[in-house]
Amino acid sequence: MFLRSSVLASKISRIFCRGTSVRCLHAEALVKRSIVSVEGKQTFPFLQGLITNDVNHLTEKSSCLYAMVLNTQGRVLYDIIVYMQSEEHLLLECDINMTEALIKHLKMFRVRRKVDIKPLHEVKPWVVFESNINIENIKQEDMESIYMSTKAVEKPTLDVCEQEGVLVTRDPRMQYLGHRVLLSHNINIDAVIPEVEKTQSEYEMLRMRLGVSEGAEELVYGKCLPLEANCDFLHGISFHKGCYIGQELTARTFHTGVVRKRYMPLVLKEPIPDLDLDSNVVNENGKSVGKIRGHFGKFGIGSMRIEQCIAAQELKVNDVPVETFKPLWWPIEAHKKKLNQ
């Protein structure tokens, strides 16, 4: 097994300058994520009917895409990143605890298609990112640009050493999440990006600050709707590809323009040890306006009733004050009342 090399630049460096600013890159092994191989002549049409995004984008100069796998009621089962190896071979990155369940789900719908589905334990996902980004400087996009292009713009900003067994691509959700790097088990990240600083859990903190959910703990199996998890804002849904499992409710919700709840970032006044996921976020009247879906230190992410939590004078979780806000990466039109009722 080897990865098709996807290199975005040729120089070797860990520091990049933009005017007078300098940013250092961090790298983390994604120990909570794993890789599944889907290979065969019917791979593309097979996945097309099972995921929210359009796999044909992978043939249009995009090396990966973000998507979700839904049940028949249109609720999220798995969040995945799809990487292209060839027109007959795709790699799916998923939550490591849901690997076997995802494989079983895919095989259930395979029927007689000639598609081989198996875990790839010898391939490990990493993330390379800038941890000290200024959240307040994020530029908004307009709603039309988000929905007309269901993939993130791939800008060649990461410099790596070109070699076999390595796949490097920008995170398809947003540029602030950095790059995904898939490595064969016998390759060290230092050999790909020399002198990169290795960290632990800083990527999770970055996600929380941005309000981006990931994995089965945050995207509760069979309960969360893809629009509530901002899958549309994160380039994870195609509204033009046609039918897929769970498409009817997703399309109807999108076209009616009523998304009352969305995942939003939370900032706690102080960390809460052993904070239970599903804990209520309450307003000054003691009314629940959301639930905790993930947390790291004083940062968290919650499934929030947008209008109610923004209008609240005070928010608390377990008697600890907490603040929330609409992320600047949400498209401008998302602030319209019809989307936030």
Side-chain angles (χ1 to χ4, degrees):
M1 168 63 196
F2 68 92
L3 298 172
R4 177 179 60 86
S5 179
S6 177
V7 178
L8 302 181
S10 58
K11 284 187 178 180
I12 302 174
S13 177
R14 71 184 272 270
I15 299 179
F16 302 80
C17 296
R18 289 183 176 177
T20 58
S21 63
V22 177
R23 61 190 179 103
C24 295
L25 296 182
H26 294 200
E28 286 187 19
L30 296 173
V31 296
K32 295 182 180 180
R33 309 289 287 180
S34 65
I35 303 299
V36 172
S37 170
V38 182
E39 185 174 12
K41 293 184 177 180
Q42 296 178 302
T43 294
F44 267 56
F46 168 60
L47 282 182
Q48 186 76 324
L50 293 177
I51 68 175
T52 58
N53 216 334
D54 189 345
V55 295
N56 291 316
H57 288 308
L58 294 172
T59 63
E60 301 169 358
K61 298 182 180 180
S62 178
S63 55
C64 72
L65 56 81
Y66 177 58
M68 290 181 172
V69 180
L70 312 179
N71 61 18
T72 53
Q73 288 75 43
R75 300 187 179 273
V76 178
L77 298 180
Y78 318 100
D79 63 309
I80 60 175
I81 295 180
V82 184
Y83 303 89
M84 182 168 178
Q85 287 286 93
S86 70
E87 293 188 359
E88 296 183 2
H89 190 192
L90 300 177
L91 304 181
L92 312 184
E93 178 197 312
C94 65
D95 187 302
I96 194 169
N97 294 320
M98 305 301 290
T99 305
E100 293 302 322
L102 173 60
I103 291 174
K104 182 178 179 181
H105 180 85
L106 295 176
K107 287 183 176 180
M108 180 173 64
F109 289 96
R110 181 175 55 181
V111 195
R112 297 182 180 180
R113 293 186 180 92
K114 296 181 179 179
V115 178
D116 182 38
I117 306 167
K118 63 182 180 181
L120 280 186
H121 300 299
E122 65 271 26
V123 176
K124 304 299 181 183
W126 284 72
V127 60
V128 177
F129 62 101
E130 179 189 359
S131 64
N132 60 343
I133 64 171
N134 189 335
I135 302 294
E136 296 180 358
N137 287 342
I138 291 177
K139 296 180 180 179
Q140 288 181 292
E141 298 182 70
D142 62 88
M143 185 77 79
E144 184 177 0
S145 70
I146 290 270
Y147 292 136
M148 292 302 291
S149 175
T150 56
K151 64 183 182 67
V153 177
E154 295 188 17
K155 298 179 181 178
T157 58
L158 181 63
D159 297 336
V160 299
C161 298
E162 185 172 1
Q163 58 181 298
E164 293 296 339
V166 178
L167 190 151
V168 182
T169 180
R170 181 176 288 285
D171 192 301
R173 294 169 291 184
M174 69 168 72
Q175 60 176 320
Y176 309 107
L177 290 172
H179 291 74
R180 271 334 207 233
V181 181
L182 302 188
L183 299 179
S184 295
H185 64 91
N186 59 338
I187 298 179
N188 193 293
I189 190 70
D190 294 323
V192 180
I193 309 172
E195 300 181 14
V196 69
E197 182 178 348
K198 296 180 183 178
T199 58
Q200 293 183 346
S201 301
E202 286 196 20
Y203 170 71
E204 188 171 7
M205 184 183 299
L206 174 63
R207 283 198 305 101
M208 298 296 172
R209 290 172 60 207
L210 289 167
V212 177
S213 54
E214 186 174 283
E217 285 189 352
E218 298 168 19
L219 298 165
V220 184
Y221 182 90
K223 292 185 178 181
C224 173
L225 295 172
L227 299 186
E228 291 178 4
N230 300 313
C231 189
D232 51 339
F233 294 170
L234 294 169
H235 308 89
I237 301 178
S238 170
F239 294 99
H240 311 286
K241 59 174 279 187
C243 295
Y244 56 88
I245 294 177
Q247 179 263 348
E248 183 177 357
L249 177 61
T250 304
R252 184 167 68 246
T253 303
F254 169 73
H255 289 297
T256 59
V258 180
V259 182
R260 293 184 174 87
K261 293 192 299 182
R262 282 192 182 270
Y263 277 52
M264 300 173 67
L266 302 173
V267 182
L268 302 166
K269 185 175 181 180
E270 59 186 52
I272 303 177
D274 303 320
L275 176 61
D276 291 334
L277 301 184
D278 214 38
S279 296
N280 286 316
V281 179
V282 299
N283 62 14
E284 65 275 9
N285 298 318
K287 181 179 179 181
S288 175
V289 296
K291 290 184 178 293
I292 297 291
R293 288 295 180 237
H295 70 96
F296 184 87
K298 69 175 184 178
F299 298 104
I301 189 169
S303 176
M304 310 296 292
R305 295 186 178 276
I306 306 169
E307 188 174 86
Q308 294 178 23
C309 71
I310 295 298
Q313 297 179 4
E314 182 182 52
L315 295 175
K316 288 186 177 181
V317 57
N318 291 7
D319 293 324
V320 174
V322 60
E323 295 180 355
T324 188
F325 53 91
K326 298 176 183 178
L328 286 176
W329 56 265
W330 282 15
I332 297 170
E333 282 77 3
H335 292 240
K336 291 183 178 179
K337 186 175 180 179
K338 71 174 185 178
L339 285 181
N340 295 339
Q341 291 177 339

